[in-house]
Amino acid sequence: LCMSMSFGGQAQKELYSSGLRHFEAKQYNKALEYFYADKYEAGNKDLLIRRVISNYKIGNLDTAKKDVSILLAFDAVPDEIYLYIGKIFHAEGTYRKAIENYKVYLRKLSSKSDQRKEIIHLVKQCGEALKIKHQEPKAFVDNYGEELNTIYDEFRMIQSPNFENKYYFTSARESSTGGRRNRKGQKDNVYGSFNSDMYAIELVDGKWMEAEKLNPFINTSRDEIALGFSSDGGVLYYMKGPDYSKGTIYLDSFAIKQENTLSESRFESSNRAEIGDVYLQVFTEDIIVFSSNRPGGFGGYDIYMSFKENGKWSKAINLGPKINSRYDEVSPFLTNDGLSVYFSSNRIKSIGGFDVFQSEYDLRNKSWTIPTNLGEPINSSCDD
């Protein structure tokens, strides 16, 4: 009997340890499988707090709240639980309760804690959300569905310039070339993550067809991210690198030069993806817009523009203090007439995380207007 109990206890420890390793690898769905298989979970505060975080991360807020109730019944409640109670209320749009719990957590932090600025920022965002909450909605938001989306990341969706029902996007899903890889790029089928590949998908008679990966020569075991097309649709711009933040930008005409090779070439411009310039938009063959955290900005990532003149790209031009702030401004998108720019920012004026903002170019004053938050439901307490 003692030996049986010993083996049982060891098995439970292994379940928790396996769940913890998946948790640290940010594989929250897989971590939860092990956490829920642990029959001693009700008395394990560390397991329960990680279960709360995992469910929060994948959007299972009601399930996360059940574990919050269990944790609050302990004599010694982990301080971190108040942070995630705040985050759950924030995600649900219950901003006053979110503020209350953020402030409880703030009081438990040391006066020297680096986390204080982050929590104060969240409190201020909730305050802004209360002001924005009752604005007239500018649109409705609908999920594209499981034909396009998975439990992994799907992003950078781009409409084909030549076929209005065809779209390109980037995803780090299970079919990713090279399988799971660790941070060194080596295969790790257990705790590794999938790198991103580029996909195409068509909408036929109101239904999404199955997504297809682009040419196998263009997707590799590294991260490939679709950025945009030339105006005639004949050239694809994309980034290839070790992760989302750095790499090399290439352009490809989809023409196969010879067996096993593509006609890709490096895109030479003022955008320096190798040093961390991100979110490139090729507005025209002679105008690009992108985000960069290079020195000389206003703080965090700023939005820059560059022009091609006489075959050479100009020095990147910062769009200035009306657009950029001491926070991050990313994912810029110029409208076809070039007179409106949409971008995402995590500034205080956002509801939470990154929100979508819009600014218009004032031709009379030759300057950008102060950006406006597009409000709910376009924006949420999560990253938009």
Side-chain angles (χ1 to χ4, degrees):
L1 178 60
C2 290
M3 185 176 291
S4 174
M5 289 176 64
S6 176
F7 284 139
Q10 183 63 32
Q12 295 304 311
K13 286 181 180 179
E14 289 177 2
L15 284 172
Y16 177 58
S17 296
S18 296
L20 192 57
R21 285 193 288 270
H22 285 289
F23 177 88
E24 290 170 349
K26 298 182 179 180
Q27 298 173 5
Y28 299 113
N29 282 286
K30 194 69 178 176
L32 286 168
E33 290 180 19
Y34 287 96
F35 290 155
Y36 282 114
D38 188 336
K39 67 179 182 180
Y40 300 122
E41 40 82 20
N44 187 336
K45 283 191 286 188
D46 291 336
L47 181 151
L48 288 168
I49 189 68
R50 285 171 173 78
R51 217 160 68 177
V52 169
I53 295 170
S54 297
N55 277 306
Y56 166 77
K57 292 287 189 180
I58 64 175
N60 292 341
L61 302 184
D62 287 338
T63 306
K65 285 193 285 189
K66 291 178 182 178
D67 283 333
V68 166
S69 298
I70 297 172
L71 280 163
L72 290 176
F74 281 90
D75 292 333
V77 178
D79 291 347
E80 195 177 15
I81 194 62
Y82 293 104
L83 170 61
Y84 280 91
I85 294 172
K87 285 180 177 287
I88 291 167
F89 279 129
H90 199 160
E92 290 180 331
T94 313
Y95 301 116
R96 294 188 191 281
K97 288 187 177 180
I99 290 171
E100 290 173 12
N101 284 278
Y102 284 146
K103 287 184 175 179
V104 170
Y105 183 64
L106 194 60
R107 288 194 292 269
K108 293 179 179 293
L109 289 175
S110 161
S111 59
K112 297 180 180 179
S113 172
D114 293 336
Q115 203 177 10
R116 291 186 67 85
K117 286 184 179 179
E118 175 195 341
I119 308 306
I120 291 170
H121 186 68
L122 290 171
V123 170
K124 290 180 177 178
Q125 285 186 326
C126 286
E128 288 296 325
L130 288 168
K131 298 176 188 176
I132 295 170
K133 192 174 179 68
H134 301 293
Q135 288 181 2
E136 188 70 25
K138 291 182 172 65
F140 71 91
V141 174
D142 194 17
N143 190 296
Y144 270 135
E146 61 184 10
E147 291 84 1
L148 195 150
N149 293 310
T150 66
I151 63 171
Y152 302 99
D153 290 335
E154 281 77 37
F155 56 102
R156 294 292 295 194
M157 193 167 185
I158 304 161
Q159 187 175 26
S160 167
N162 298 329
F163 306 97
E164 65 176 12
N165 290 331
K166 189 171 185 178
Y167 296 81
Y168 294 81
F169 67 96
T170 302
S171 179
R173 56 180 63 185
E174 286 188 2
S175 57
S176 177
T177 304
R180 292 187 182 273
R181 302 266 170 169
N182 61 26
R183 292 177 182 177
K184 295 180 180 179
Q186 300 166 333
K187 282 195 172 185
D188 184 345
N189 293 326
V190 180
Y191 301 111
S193 299
F194 296 112
N195 286 339
S196 59
D197 282 345
M198 297 178 287
Y199 292 78
I201 192 167
E202 290 189 67
L203 188 65
V204 178
D205 296 328
K207 293 182 178 180
W208 291 110
M209 299 294 100
E210 185 176 353
E212 296 181 354
K213 274 199 291 190
L214 298 194
N215 194 303
F217 303 134
I218 208 170
N219 285 316
T220 69
S221 60
R222 306 185 85 194
D223 279 310
E224 281 83 29
I225 301 172
L227 300 174
F229 289 91
S230 58
S231 55
D232 64 2
V235 175
L236 168 69
Y237 296 83
Y238 68 97
M239 188 179 86
K240 179 186 295 185
D243 56 49
Y244 297 164
S245 63
K246 290 183 181 180
T248 302
I249 294 175
Y250 294 95
L251 43 88
D252 192 276
S253 65
F254 295 100
I256 299 178
K257 288 180 180 176
Q258 54 186 320
E259 190 175 2
N260 296 332
T261 64
L262 284 177
S263 57
E264 71 176 11
S265 59
R266 185 168 171 164
F267 178 56
E268 302 290 351
S269 73
S270 59
N271 177 284
R272 302 287 295 166
E274 294 84 355
I275 63 170
D277 291 354
V278 291
Y279 299 104
L280 173 72
Q281 182 199 6
V282 182
F283 181 64
T284 68
E285 280 72 18
D286 299 322
I287 301 174
I288 58 174
V289 190
F290 59 91
S291 294
S292 176
N293 62 354
R294 59 182 63 188
F298 294 93
Y301 281 91
D302 282 0
I303 298 174
Y304 290 81
M305 182 180 287
S306 184
F307 303 88
K308 193 176 185 181
E309 298 173 331
N310 300 320
K312 293 184 178 180
W313 286 98
S314 69
K315 182 180 178 182
I317 302 166
N318 189 299
L319 292 195
K322 285 188 178 178
I323 295 286
N324 295 309
S325 70
R326 63 191 178 97
Y327 298 98
D328 295 314
E329 282 71 44
V330 298
S331 198
F333 179 83
L334 275 175
T335 54
N336 288 341
D337 59 8
L339 297 178
S340 290
V341 62
Y342 293 84
F343 62 92
S344 293
S345 178
N346 58 357
R347 59 183 66 185
I348 289 172
K349 294 287 184 181
S350 73
I351 293 172
F354 283 86
D355 276 6
V356 182
F357 289 79
Q358 179 195 16
S359 176
E360 296 181 355
Y361 191 74
D362 186 337
L363 290 170
R364 180 183 296 177
N365 296 318
K366 295 183 179 180
S367 65
W368 292 98
T369 59
I370 295 173
T372 57
N373 187 308
L374 294 188
E376 295 179 335
I378 292 174
N379 291 316
S380 70
S381 58
C382 300
D383 288 332
D384 305 290

